[in-house]
Amino acid sequence: MASLAASIAKVGSNTLLSRILGFVRDLIVARLFGADAGTDAFFVAFKIPNFMRRLFAEGAFSMAFVPVLNEYKTQRGFPALKRFVDDVAGTLGAILFVITALGVLGAPILVLIFAPGFASDPDKQLLATDMLRLTFPYLLFISLTALAGGILNTYDRFGVPAFTPVLLNLSLIGCALWLAPQMERPIMALAWGVLIAGIVQLLFQLPFLHQLRLLPRPRVSPRDEGVRRIVRLMIPALFGVSVTQISLLIDTLLASFLATGSISWLYYSDRLMEFPLGILGVALGTVILPKLSRQHAAESPEAFSETLDWALRWVLLLGLPAAVGLFVLSGPMIATLFYSGEFTAYDVLMAERSLMAYSLGLMAFLGVKVLAPGFYSRQDMKTPVKIAVVAMLTNITFNLLLMFPLGHAGLALATIIAASVNALLLFIGLLRQGIYRPLPGWWLLLVKGLIASLAMGAALWLLSGPTPFWNVWDFGERLIRLLGLILIGGFSYLLLALVLGIRPRHLLRMNPAA
């Protein structure tokens, strides 16, 4: 279990670096471009291929590819494994090339589908279309990068794939600072940054595949048995693993009908919510999927259940305080990172509202990251699909109910309601099928974690003060105060947790009572 914790630390630390650079990127974009029609157009142009990346590459494809890859690795020998990798790389690459070509040609239609509200503003629609033609090929490169990352993760090379997203942020920062001033339409530099990043991210991982002797020689083989199994697993997984991304995309679609700036407010608040979700949720999901796949192949149901229990304890003991802290410090975080001449005090207030709504669903988002692999590692795609359909209908219903009375914050709230339904039904499904059997002591641990988190939140609320005060201070003072509050919050939670009886063994051991 210590090795799993070390892997999570490795993935989490690289993700932390990526998230920090992501905040630097967003800070630069907010200060240079603000929250206007241009940034709305870019976020739509970036969100479409990014959504498809999460849907296909890091979502359904990874969930289908990794279990089959583990089977080839453990049961069929290296020559068969190499042929399998070559066949998957060639077939996936051919399919993605066709999809990319269709996406570039159909960019105007895609903008109308994903942001129909832009139809009332021809200039915004044209700008989004031009940028989408540059950003859409990112899907091709990043999906092949996900293939490489899946191979590396199967061989416990977690650090390289976890570091790769750093390159996207560096590319966007560089293009915003140096390319934008040279262009007639400076915002277009960000679209170029996305395209460059996709190429660089793929090239970065190839030497590490070469070290494993698994650098693909792509071969288009749609009839290969392993390829066909992945396709069969991927089709239902598209809905089950990606309901959160679909919900966020629906937010963007509906936000295009709301006030100008709504898409940007949702984007910036989502980026802050993605900070703990990326560090903890992505790390947990990345590490436990190969582990669960091996345990299922070895027919070890008890070890399988204990791995899920261990991951859920991480969600409780680290995710709950993160959600409380994010809710209480929503305003200070938005003000510190984004408030400037272009990103106004009104923008801070609007983004704060949606971030507070998103924070209420952080535990649900984390739960889905842990619970969904419990099904996909067993190659059970039907159950998550049924649950995803229910969650999707929930999201659409609450979007329509809440978007007009609450604006963009209503869309964020609808998203977290849907995520909560998704996580709850996944949890119930694992219990009913006997796949997961909670270890003793969960209720007491839950109460202790809740008390420590709420006490920490109360302290932060008293110390942070009203958000408008933060707009008065300069950036340096805001940053120092925010970092101080985060340190105080982390220390107070740790101290309270220890006083209440929470110990390191709850995170480090499969069975903390053993």
Side-chain angles (χ1 to χ4, degrees), residues 54-56 58-61 63 236-245 368-369 372-373 376 384-385 388 422:
R54 294 180 178 183
L55 191 67
F56 292 101
E58 296 175 0
F61 174 75
M63 289 298 182
L238 287 174
F239 287 99
V241 76
S242 305
V243 64
T244 298
Q245 302 309 318
V368 171
K369 293 286 187 182
Y376 293 117
V385 167
N422 190 24

Side-chain angles (χ1 to χ4, degrees), residues 422-436:
N422 190 24
L424 179 61
L425 293 179
L426 287 171
F427 181 75
I428 293 173
L430 290 171
L431 290 178
R432 286 182 175 174
Q433 294 184 29
I435 299 170
Y436 171 54

Side-chain angles (χ1 to χ4, degrees), residues 318-387:
L318 298 183
L320 183 57
V324 172
L326 194 63
F327 181 88
V328 175
L329 297 179
S330 291
M333 286 182 176
I334 293 290
T336 299
L337 294 171
F338 304 123
Y339 177 65
S340 66
E342 295 293 332
F343 198 89
T344 66
Y346 180 72
D347 293 324
V348 171
L349 176 62
M350 293 296 102
E352 177 188 11
R353 291 178 180 175
S354 48
L355 179 56
M356 292 176 73
Y358 278 139
S359 68
L360 296 174
L362 178 60
M363 290 284 287
F365 291 131
L366 291 171
V368 171
K369 293 286 187 182
V370 169
L371 297 169
F375 291 98
Y376 293 117
S377 60
R378 298 165 54 86
Q379 301 183 29
D380 174 9
M381 306 298 173
K382 292 182 180 179
T383 303
V385 167
K386 295 176 182 177
I387 293 172

Side-chain angles (χ1 to χ4, degrees), residues 53 76 98 206 380 387 408 449 477 495 503:
R53 166 185 67 88
R76 307 202 184 189
V98 174
L206 296 184
D380 174 9
I387 293 172
H408 70 290
E477 188 172 1
L495 181 61
R503 297 292 181 263

Side-chain angles (χ1 to χ4, degrees), residues 154-167:
T154 298
Y155 282 83
D156 295 333
R157 304 285 185 92
F158 294 107
V160 175
F163 177 79
T164 301
V166 170
L167 302 174

